[in-house]
mmCIF file of all heavy atoms in Angstrom:
data_model
loop_
_atom_site.group_PDB
_atom_site.id
_atom_site.type_symbol
_atom_site.label_atom_id
_atom_site.label_comp_id
_atom_site.label_asym_id
_atom_site.label_seq_id
_atom_site.Cartn_x
_atom_site.Cartn_y
_atom_site.Cartn_z
ATOM 1 N N HIS R 1 0.832 -1.199 0.000
ATOM 2 C CA HIS R 1 0.000 0.000 0.000
ATOM 3 C C HIS R 1 0.866 1.248 0.000
ATOM 4 O O HIS R 1 0.568 2.217 -0.705
ATOM 5 C CB HIS R 1 -0.954 0.004 1.195
ATOM 6 C CG HIS R 1 -1.886 1.173 1.171
ATOM 7 N ND1 HIS R 1 -1.619 2.341 1.839
ATOM 8 C CD2 HIS R 1 -3.068 1.361 0.534
ATOM 9 C CE1 HIS R 1 -2.592 3.199 1.624
ATOM 10 N NE2 HIS R 1 -3.481 2.625 0.830
ATOM 11 N N LYS R 2 1.930 1.233 0.767
ATOM 12 C CA LYS R 2 2.833 2.384 0.842
ATOM 13 C C LYS R 2 3.435 2.674 -0.534
ATOM 14 O O LYS R 2 3.555 3.822 -0.943
ATOM 15 C CB LYS R 2 3.936 2.128 1.864
ATOM 16 C CG LYS R 2 4.860 3.297 2.074
ATOM 17 C CD LYS R 2 5.871 2.997 3.159
ATOM 18 C CE LYS R 2 6.799 4.177 3.365
ATOM 19 N NZ LYS R 2 7.791 3.906 4.415
ATOM 20 N N GLU R 3 3.775 1.615 -1.260
ATOM 21 C CA GLU R 3 4.422 1.781 -2.566
ATOM 22 C C GLU R 3 3.433 2.067 -3.692
ATOM 23 O O GLU R 3 3.703 2.846 -4.591
ATOM 24 C CB GLU R 3 5.228 0.537 -2.911
ATOM 25 C CG GLU R 3 6.064 0.677 -4.165
ATOM 26 C CD GLU R 3 6.984 -0.504 -4.399
ATOM 27 O OE1 GLU R 3 7.313 -1.219 -3.437
ATOM 28 O OE2 GLU R 3 7.357 -0.707 -5.569
ATOM 29 N N HIS R 4 2.252 1.452 -3.634
ATOM 30 C CA HIS R 4 1.336 1.534 -4.772
ATOM 31 C C HIS R 4 -0.005 2.191 -4.480
ATOM 32 O O HIS R 4 -0.771 2.451 -5.407
ATOM 33 C CB HIS R 4 1.063 0.117 -5.317
ATOM 34 C CG HIS R 4 2.293 -0.597 -5.733
ATOM 35 N ND1 HIS R 4 2.970 -0.309 -6.898
ATOM 36 C CD2 HIS R 4 3.004 -1.588 -5.137
ATOM 37 C CE1 HIS R 4 4.023 -1.094 -7.012
ATOM 38 N NE2 HIS R 4 4.064 -1.879 -5.949
ATOM 39 N N GLY R 5 -0.359 2.401 -3.209
ATOM 40 C CA GLY R 5 -1.647 2.996 -2.870
ATOM 41 C C GLY R 5 -2.780 1.991 -3.013
ATOM 42 O O GLY R 5 -2.565 0.789 -2.968
ATOM 43 N N GLY R 6 -3.975 2.498 -3.200
ATOM 44 C CA GLY R 6 -5.150 1.646 -3.358
ATOM 45 C C GLY R 6 -5.917 1.506 -2.067
ATOM 46 O O GLY R 6 -5.535 2.042 -1.026
ATOM 47 N N PRO R 7 -7.030 0.779 -2.133
ATOM 48 C CA PRO R 7 -7.873 0.630 -0.938
ATOM 49 C C PRO R 7 -7.189 -0.239 0.118
ATOM 50 O O PRO R 7 -6.405 -1.120 -0.208
ATOM 51 C CB PRO R 7 -9.121 -0.071 -1.479
ATOM 52 C CG PRO R 7 -8.633 -0.829 -2.672
ATOM 53 C CD PRO R 7 -7.543 0.014 -3.272
ATOM 54 N N GLN R 8 -7.464 0.053 1.367
ATOM 55 C CA GLN R 8 -6.951 -0.760 2.469
ATOM 56 C C GLN R 8 -8.089 -1.649 2.952
ATOM 57 O O GLN R 8 -8.948 -1.214 3.701
ATOM 58 C CB GLN R 8 -6.403 0.120 3.580
ATOM 59 C CG GLN R 8 -5.130 0.845 3.166
ATOM 60 C CD GLN R 8 -4.527 1.634 4.304
ATOM 61 O OE1 GLN R 8 -5.147 2.559 4.830
ATOM 62 N NE2 GLN R 8 -3.321 1.274 4.680
ATOM 63 N N VAL R 9 -8.076 -2.888 2.506
ATOM 64 C CA VAL R 9 -9.116 -3.856 2.848
ATOM 65 C C VAL R 9 -8.519 -4.861 3.825
ATOM 66 O O VAL R 9 -7.416 -5.362 3.588
ATOM 67 C CB VAL R 9 -9.617 -4.587 1.579
ATOM 68 C CG1 VAL R 9 -10.666 -5.615 1.923
ATOM 69 C CG2 VAL R 9 -10.147 -3.575 0.571
ATOM 70 N N PRO R 10 -9.197 -5.157 4.927
ATOM 71 C CA PRO R 10 -8.661 -6.139 5.875
ATOM 72 C C PRO R 10 -8.461 -7.494 5.191
ATOM 73 O O PRO R 10 -9.272 -7.885 4.350
ATOM 74 C CB PRO R 10 -9.739 -6.242 6.947
ATOM 75 C CG PRO R 10 -10.599 -5.035 6.781
ATOM 76 C CD PRO R 10 -10.494 -4.633 5.346
ATOM 77 N N PRO R 11 -7.389 -8.203 5.538
ATOM 78 C CA PRO R 11 -7.171 -9.537 4.954
ATOM 79 C C PRO R 11 -8.355 -10.451 5.277
ATOM 80 O O PRO R 11 -8.845 -10.465 6.403
ATOM 81 C CB PRO R 11 -5.911 -10.044 5.649
ATOM 82 C CG PRO R 11 -5.267 -8.855 6.260
ATOM 83 C CD PRO R 11 -6.348 -7.855 6.501
ATOM 84 N N HIS R 12 -8.796 -11.201 4.270
ATOM 85 C CA HIS R 12 -9.934 -12.094 4.467
ATOM 86 C C HIS R 12 -10.043 -13.079 3.314
ATOM 87 O O HIS R 12 -9.451 -12.884 2.259
ATOM 88 C CB HIS R 12 -11.236 -11.290 4.568
ATOM 89 C CG HIS R 12 -11.601 -10.610 3.285
ATOM 90 N ND1 HIS R 12 -11.054 -9.405 2.915
ATOM 91 C CD2 HIS R 12 -12.437 -10.971 2.274
ATOM 92 C CE1 HIS R 12 -11.538 -9.054 1.735
ATOM 93 N NE2 HIS R 12 -12.377 -10.000 1.312
ATOM 94 N N VAL R 13 -10.811 -14.119 3.545
ATOM 95 C CA VAL R 13 -11.239 -15.044 2.506
ATOM 96 C C VAL R 13 -12.749 -14.881 2.420
ATOM 97 O O VAL R 13 -13.449 -14.998 3.426
ATOM 98 C CB VAL R 13 -10.877 -16.516 2.854
ATOM 99 C CG1 VAL R 13 -11.476 -17.472 1.831
ATOM 100 C CG2 VAL R 13 -9.367 -16.687 2.952
ATOM 101 N N THR R 14 -13.252 -14.587 1.236
ATOM 102 C CA THR R 14 -14.686 -14.414 1.058
ATOM 103 C C THR R 14 -15.351 -15.780 0.969
ATOM 104 O O THR R 14 -15.035 -16.566 0.087
ATOM 105 C CB THR R 14 -14.989 -13.590 -0.204
ATOM 106 O OG1 THR R 14 -14.315 -12.326 -0.100
ATOM 107 C CG2 THR R 14 -16.483 -13.369 -0.371
ATOM 108 N N LEU R 15 -16.244 -16.061 1.907
ATOM 109 C CA LEU R 15 -17.003 -17.316 1.889
ATOM 110 C C LEU R 15 -18.278 -17.179 1.079
ATOM 111 O O LEU R 15 -18.732 -18.122 0.442
ATOM 112 C CB LEU R 15 -17.371 -17.748 3.310
ATOM 113 C CG LEU R 15 -16.230 -18.103 4.240
ATOM 114 C CD1 LEU R 15 -16.781 -18.458 5.617
ATOM 115 C CD2 LEU R 15 -15.413 -19.245 3.679
ATOM 116 N N LEU R 16 -18.876 -15.997 1.139
ATOM 117 C CA LEU R 16 -20.170 -15.768 0.488
ATOM 118 C C LEU R 16 -20.265 -14.292 0.158
ATOM 119 O O LEU R 16 -19.865 -13.448 0.959
ATOM 120 C CB LEU R 16 -21.288 -16.171 1.461
ATOM 121 C CG LEU R 16 -22.716 -16.007 0.999
ATOM 122 C CD1 LEU R 16 -23.049 -17.031 -0.081
ATOM 123 C CD2 LEU R 16 -23.670 -16.186 2.177
ATOM 124 N N THR R 17 -20.789 -13.984 -1.006
ATOM 125 C CA THR R 17 -20.966 -12.591 -1.382
ATOM 126 C C THR R 17 -22.337 -12.391 -2.012
ATOM 127 O O THR R 17 -22.921 -13.330 -2.554
ATOM 128 C CB THR R 17 -19.848 -12.120 -2.342
ATOM 129 O OG1 THR R 17 -19.964 -10.708 -2.544
ATOM 130 C CG2 THR R 17 -19.891 -12.833 -3.666
ATOM 131 N N GLY R 18 -22.858 -11.184 -1.891
ATOM 132 C CA GLY R 18 -24.127 -10.859 -2.524
ATOM 133 C C GLY R 18 -25.364 -11.355 -1.805
ATOM 134 O O GLY R 18 -26.441 -11.394 -2.392
ATOM 135 N N ALA R 19 -25.238 -11.733 -0.546
ATOM 136 C CA ALA R 19 -26.411 -12.187 0.210
ATOM 137 C C ALA R 19 -27.339 -10.997 0.459
ATOM 138 O O ALA R 19 -26.886 -9.930 0.844
ATOM 139 C CB ALA R 19 -25.980 -12.799 1.533
ATOM 140 N N GLU R 20 -28.608 -11.177 0.214
ATOM 141 C CA GLU R 20 -29.592 -10.123 0.458
ATOM 142 C C GLU R 20 -30.563 -10.597 1.528
ATOM 143 O O GLU R 20 -31.221 -11.629 1.360
ATOM 144 C CB GLU R 20 -30.329 -9.764 -0.833
ATOM 145 C CG GLU R 20 -29.422 -9.093 -1.838
ATOM 146 C CD GLU R 20 -30.161 -8.591 -3.068
ATOM 147 O OE1 GLU R 20 -31.399 -8.733 -3.141
ATOM 148 O OE2 GLU R 20 -29.492 -8.051 -3.953
ATOM 149 N N THR R 21 -30.641 -9.838 2.609
ATOM 150 C CA THR R 21 -31.476 -10.219 3.747
ATOM 151 C C THR R 21 -31.702 -8.987 4.613
ATOM 152 O O THR R 21 -31.166 -7.916 4.328
ATOM 153 C CB THR R 21 -30.789 -11.348 4.547
ATOM 154 O OG1 THR R 21 -31.665 -11.801 5.576
ATOM 155 C CG2 THR R 21 -29.485 -10.902 5.167
ATOM 156 N N THR R 22 -32.459 -9.128 5.665
ATOM 157 C CA THR R 22 -32.610 -8.031 6.621
ATOM 158 C C THR R 22 -31.452 -8.091 7.614
ATOM 159 O O THR R 22 -30.806 -9.128 7.777
ATOM 160 C CB THR R 22 -33.935 -8.144 7.400
ATOM 161 O OG1 THR R 22 -33.910 -9.340 8.183
ATOM 162 C CG2 THR R 22 -35.134 -8.143 6.467
ATOM 163 N N ARG R 23 -31.195 -6.989 8.271
ATOM 164 C CA ARG R 23 -30.106 -6.949 9.261
ATOM 165 C C ARG R 23 -30.369 -7.956 10.386
ATOM 166 O O ARG R 23 -29.479 -8.690 10.794
ATOM 167 C CB ARG R 23 -29.956 -5.540 9.833
ATOM 168 C CG ARG R 23 -28.785 -5.398 10.787
ATOM 169 C CD ARG R 23 -28.537 -3.947 11.182
ATOM 170 N NE ARG R 23 -28.357 -3.062 10.055
ATOM 171 C CZ ARG R 23 -27.229 -2.899 9.389
ATOM 172 N NH1 ARG R 23 -26.167 -3.582 9.743
ATOM 173 N NH2 ARG R 23 -27.136 -2.069 8.377
ATOM 174 N N ALA R 24 -31.589 -8.029 10.868
ATOM 175 C CA ALA R 24 -31.922 -8.957 11.958
ATOM 176 C C ALA R 24 -31.712 -10.404 11.515
ATOM 177 O O ALA R 24 -31.157 -11.220 12.259
ATOM 178 C CB ALA R 24 -33.367 -8.747 12.413
ATOM 179 N N SER R 25 -32.128 -10.727 10.303
ATOM 180 C CA SER R 25 -31.954 -12.081 9.791
ATOM 181 C C SER R 25 -30.472 -12.392 9.600
ATOM 182 O O SER R 25 -30.009 -13.494 9.911
ATOM 183 C CB SER R 25 -32.702 -12.247 8.469
ATOM 184 O OG SER R 25 -32.524 -13.556 7.975
ATOM 185 N N ALA R 26 -29.714 -11.427 9.110
ATOM 186 C CA ALA R 26 -28.273 -11.622 8.922
ATOM 187 C C ALA R 26 -27.592 -11.906 10.256
ATOM 188 O O ALA R 26 -26.753 -12.808 10.354
ATOM 189 C CB ALA R 26 -27.657 -10.398 8.262
ATOM 190 N N GLU R 27 -27.943 -11.145 11.287
ATOM 191 C CA GLU R 27 -27.343 -11.356 12.603
ATOM 192 C C GLU R 27 -27.647 -12.753 13.127
ATOM 193 O O GLU R 27 -26.766 -13.442 13.639
ATOM 194 C CB GLU R 27 -27.820 -10.292 13.587
ATOM 195 C CG GLU R 27 -27.247 -8.917 13.301
ATOM 196 C CD GLU R 27 -27.826 -7.824 14.185
ATOM 197 O OE1 GLU R 27 -28.634 -8.136 15.097
ATOM 198 O OE2 GLU R 27 -27.472 -6.653 13.968
ATOM 199 N N LEU R 28 -28.876 -13.191 12.986
ATOM 200 C CA LEU R 28 -29.277 -14.525 13.437
ATOM 201 C C LEU R 28 -28.523 -15.607 12.662
ATOM 202 O O LEU R 28 -27.971 -16.548 13.253
ATOM 203 C CB LEU R 28 -30.786 -14.706 13.264
ATOM 204 C CG LEU R 28 -31.366 -16.041 13.678
ATOM 205 C CD1 LEU R 28 -31.229 -16.234 15.179
ATOM 206 C CD2 LEU R 28 -32.825 -16.116 13.267
ATOM 207 N N LYS R 29 -28.463 -15.476 11.351
ATOM 208 C CA LYS R 29 -27.781 -16.469 10.521
ATOM 209 C C LYS R 29 -26.284 -16.500 10.788
ATOM 210 O O LYS R 29 -25.665 -17.569 10.824
ATOM 211 C CB LYS R 29 -28.055 -16.195 9.048
ATOM 212 C CG LYS R 29 -29.497 -16.478 8.656
ATOM 213 C CD LYS R 29 -29.775 -16.070 7.219
ATOM 214 C CE LYS R 29 -31.229 -16.338 6.864
ATOM 215 N NZ LYS R 29 -31.516 -15.987 5.473
ATOM 216 N N LEU R 30 -25.669 -15.327 10.997
ATOM 217 C CA LEU R 30 -24.231 -15.287 11.280
ATOM 218 C C LEU R 30 -23.910 -15.913 12.633
ATOM 219 O O LEU R 30 -22.894 -16.606 12.772
ATOM 220 C CB LEU R 30 -23.713 -13.849 11.216
ATOM 221 C CG LEU R 30 -23.579 -13.277 9.812
ATOM 222 C CD1 LEU R 30 -23.264 -11.793 9.866
ATOM 223 C CD2 LEU R 30 -22.522 -14.021 9.016
ATOM 224 N N LYS R 31 -24.754 -15.694 13.622
ATOM 225 C CA LYS R 31 -24.549 -16.331 14.927
ATOM 226 C C LYS R 31 -24.647 -17.845 14.795
ATOM 227 O O LYS R 31 -23.844 -18.582 15.370
ATOM 228 C CB LYS R 31 -25.566 -15.820 15.956
ATOM 229 C CG LYS R 31 -25.265 -14.430 16.445
ATOM 230 C CD LYS R 31 -26.311 -13.948 17.432
ATOM 231 C CE LYS R 31 -26.033 -12.513 17.838
ATOM 232 N NZ LYS R 31 -27.057 -11.975 18.721
ATOM 233 N N ARG R 32 -25.622 -18.321 14.017
ATOM 234 C CA ARG R 32 -25.780 -19.758 13.788
ATOM 235 C C ARG R 32 -24.547 -20.324 13.079
ATOM 236 O O ARG R 32 -24.026 -21.364 13.451
ATOM 237 C CB ARG R 32 -27.041 -20.014 12.958
ATOM 238 C CG ARG R 32 -27.359 -21.483 12.806
ATOM 239 C CD ARG R 32 -28.604 -21.755 11.960
ATOM 240 N NE ARG R 32 -29.683 -20.808 12.193
ATOM 241 C CZ ARG R 32 -30.485 -20.359 11.237
ATOM 242 N NH1 ARG R 32 -30.347 -20.755 9.999
ATOM 243 N NH2 ARG R 32 -31.446 -19.518 11.518
ATOM 244 N N LEU R 33 -24.074 -19.627 12.053
ATOM 245 C CA LEU R 33 -22.894 -20.071 11.313
ATOM 246 C C LEU R 33 -21.655 -20.056 12.203
ATOM 247 O O LEU R 33 -20.898 -21.028 12.243
ATOM 248 C CB LEU R 33 -22.676 -19.179 10.086
ATOM 249 C CG LEU R 33 -21.435 -19.472 9.239
ATOM 250 C CD1 LEU R 33 -21.511 -20.871 8.639
ATOM 251 C CD2 LEU R 33 -21.303 -18.417 8.134
ATOM 252 N N ALA R 34 -21.455 -18.976 12.948
ATOM 253 C CA ALA R 34 -20.262 -18.855 13.805
ATOM 254 C C ALA R 34 -20.219 -19.947 14.861
ATOM 255 O O ALA R 34 -19.131 -20.417 15.221
ATOM 256 C CB ALA R 34 -20.242 -17.473 14.464
ATOM 257 N N SER R 35 -21.362 -20.387 15.347
ATOM 258 C CA SER R 35 -21.384 -21.434 16.378
ATOM 259 C C SER R 35 -20.929 -22.782 15.825
ATOM 260 O O SER R 35 -20.568 -23.674 16.578
ATOM 261 C CB SER R 35 -22.783 -21.560 16.990
ATOM 262 O OG SER R 35 -23.684 -22.158 16.067
ATOM 263 N N ARG R 36 -20.927 -22.928 14.498
ATOM 264 C CA ARG R 36 -20.564 -24.205 13.881
ATOM 265 C C ARG R 36 -19.171 -24.188 13.248
ATOM 266 O O ARG R 36 -18.708 -25.213 12.759
ATOM 267 C CB ARG R 36 -21.604 -24.563 12.820
ATOM 268 C CG ARG R 36 -22.997 -24.707 13.438
ATOM 269 C CD ARG R 36 -24.027 -25.032 12.432
ATOM 270 N NE ARG R 36 -23.812 -26.406 11.950
ATOM 271 C CZ ARG R 36 -24.557 -26.969 11.036
ATOM 272 N NH1 ARG R 36 -25.533 -26.300 10.474
ATOM 273 N NH2 ARG R 36 -24.327 -28.206 10.644
ATOM 274 N N VAL R 37 -18.517 -23.042 13.229
ATOM 275 C CA VAL R 37 -17.215 -22.914 12.567
ATOM 276 C C VAL R 37 -16.083 -23.251 13.534
ATOM 277 O O VAL R 37 -16.052 -22.766 14.656
ATOM 278 C CB VAL R 37 -17.018 -21.482 12.018
ATOM 279 C CG1 VAL R 37 -15.618 -21.288 11.464
ATOM 280 C CG2 VAL R 37 -18.056 -21.187 10.958
ATOM 281 N N GLN R 38 -15.180 -24.069 13.059
ATOM 282 C CA GLN R 38 -13.972 -24.413 13.803
ATOM 283 C C GLN R 38 -12.783 -23.770 13.087
ATOM 284 O O GLN R 38 -12.815 -23.597 11.870
ATOM 285 C CB GLN R 38 -13.786 -25.940 13.840
ATOM 286 C CG GLN R 38 -14.905 -26.684 14.518
ATOM 287 C CD GLN R 38 -15.000 -26.344 15.995
ATOM 288 O OE1 GLN R 38 -14.006 -26.257 16.683
ATOM 289 N NE2 GLN R 38 -16.215 -26.125 16.464
ATOM 290 N N PRO R 39 -11.720 -23.424 13.821
ATOM 291 C CA PRO R 39 -10.529 -22.867 13.156
ATOM 292 C C PRO R 39 -10.018 -23.844 12.089
ATOM 293 O O PRO R 39 -10.093 -25.055 12.263
ATOM 294 C CB PRO R 39 -9.520 -22.728 14.288
ATOM 295 C CG PRO R 39 -10.342 -22.665 15.531
ATOM 296 C CD PRO R 39 -11.549 -23.515 15.265
ATOM 297 N N LEU R 40 -9.529 -23.293 10.985
ATOM 298 C CA LEU R 40 -8.977 -24.144 9.949
ATOM 299 C C LEU R 40 -7.752 -23.490 9.333
ATOM 300 O O LEU R 40 -7.565 -22.286 9.424
ATOM 301 C CB LEU R 40 -10.018 -24.477 8.872
ATOM 302 C CG LEU R 40 -10.537 -23.351 8.003
ATOM 303 C CD1 LEU R 40 -10.781 -23.893 6.609
ATOM 304 C CD2 LEU R 40 -11.836 -22.824 8.563
ATOM 305 N N ARG R 41 -6.933 -24.315 8.748
ATOM 306 C CA ARG R 41 -5.705 -23.842 8.110
ATOM 307 C C ARG R 41 -5.992 -23.621 6.628
ATOM 308 O O ARG R 41 -6.562 -24.477 5.973
ATOM 309 C CB ARG R 41 -4.599 -24.874 8.281
ATOM 310 C CG ARG R 41 -3.242 -24.373 7.865
ATOM 311 C CD ARG R 41 -2.160 -25.335 8.295
ATOM 312 N NE ARG R 41 -1.994 -25.424 9.733
ATOM 313 C CZ ARG R 41 -1.220 -24.607 10.455
ATOM 314 N NH1 ARG R 41 -0.570 -23.651 9.874
ATOM 315 N NH2 ARG R 41 -1.113 -24.769 11.760
#
Protein backbone atom coordinates (compact mmCIF):
# COMPACT_ATOMS: atom_id res chain seq x y z
CA HIS A 1 0.00 0.00 0.00
CA LYS A 2 2.83 2.38 0.84
CA GLU A 3 4.42 1.78 -2.57
CA HIS A 4 1.34 1.53 -4.77
CA GLY A 5 -1.65 3.00 -2.87
CA GLY A 6 -5.15 1.65 -3.36
CA PRO A 7 -7.87 0.63 -0.94
CA GLN A 8 -6.95 -0.76 2.47
CA VAL A 9 -9.12 -3.86 2.85
CA PRO A 10 -8.66 -6.14 5.87
CA PRO A 11 -7.17 -9.54 4.95
CA HIS A 12 -9.93 -12.09 4.47
CA VAL A 13 -11.24 -15.04 2.51
CA THR A 14 -14.69 -14.41 1.06
CA LEU A 15 -17.00 -17.32 1.89
CA LEU A 16 -20.17 -15.77 0.49
CA THR A 17 -20.97 -12.59 -1.38
CA GLY A 18 -24.13 -10.86 -2.52
CA ALA A 19 -26.41 -12.19 0.21
CA GLU A 20 -29.59 -10.12 0.46
CA THR A 21 -31.48 -10.22 3.75
CA THR A 22 -32.61 -8.03 6.62
CA ARG A 23 -30.11 -6.95 9.26
CA ALA A 24 -31.92 -8.96 11.96
CA SER A 25 -31.95 -12.08 9.79
CA ALA A 26 -28.27 -11.62 8.92
CA GLU A 27 -27.34 -11.36 12.60
CA LEU A 28 -29.28 -14.52 13.44
CA LYS A 29 -27.78 -16.47 10.52
CA LEU A 30 -24.23 -15.29 11.28
CA LYS A 31 -24.55 -16.33 14.93
CA ARG A 32 -25.78 -19.76 13.79
CA LEU A 33 -22.89 -20.07 11.31
CA ALA A 34 -20.26 -18.85 13.80
CA SER A 35 -21.38 -21.43 16.38
CA ARG A 36 -20.56 -24.21 13.88
CA VAL A 37 -17.21 -22.91 12.57
CA GLN A 38 -13.97 -24.41 13.80
CA PRO A 39 -10.53 -22.87 13.16
CA LEU A 40 -8.98 -24.14 9.95
CA ARG A 41 -5.70 -23.84 8.11
